[in-house]
Each structure stands twice: as structure tokens, then as C-alpha cells.
Amino acid sequence: MMVLSMVDQHKPKCHLCSNVFENLEELRKHQDSAHKEFTEFHKDASDHSPTPGDVTIF
């Protein structure tokens, strides 16, 4: 059985590499530098076409 600590649960965490940061600004800086391709691709979601299975609600 594995027990996870709850020490840094309130701090923002990068969902791409699991690094923990002190605040959101540090997380944004990290993602803009370390994961630049990912953040640039997902900045403007309105430019992307719907994926198969997407549902539009009127």
C-alpha cells in the first residue's frame, strides 16, 4: 500500500511534468519555457476544429 503526503496539495502543479510551484505565476513561466510547444498550440482553442465525439450545446 502506498500513502501519498498532503504537504503541497495547495500549491499549483504542472500537469505535464508534475513539478510543484509556489504560485501560479511561476507555473505559467515554467510552462511558457519548458512546455512552449504545448502552450502555444493550446492558447487559442477557438482556432481548433471539434474532435470526433464533441457535443455542441445550443
Side-chain angles (χ1 to χ4, degrees):
M1 179 158 97
M2 186 169 129
V3 178
L4 300 175
S5 66
M6 302 271 296
V7 175
D8 293 330
Q9 294 298 314
H10 65 283
K11 294 182 180 178
K13 183 177 183 180
C14 179
H15 62 277
L16 297 172
C17 64
S18 299
N19 289 347
V20 177
F21 298 91
E22 289 298 317
N23 55 44
L24 285 175
E25 187 59 34
E26 288 183 19
L27 174 61
R28 284 188 194 105
K29 288 178 185 176
H30 163 76
Q31 288 181 336
D32 286 342
S33 62
H35 308 295
K36 189 173 184 172
E37 308 85 29
F38 182 84
T39 54
E40 285 179 356
F41 180 77
H42 289 89
K43 273 192 178 174
D44 192 9
S46 63
D47 287 347
H48 301 283
S49 61
T51 59
D54 278 355
V55 177
T56 303
I57 309 235
F58 296 97

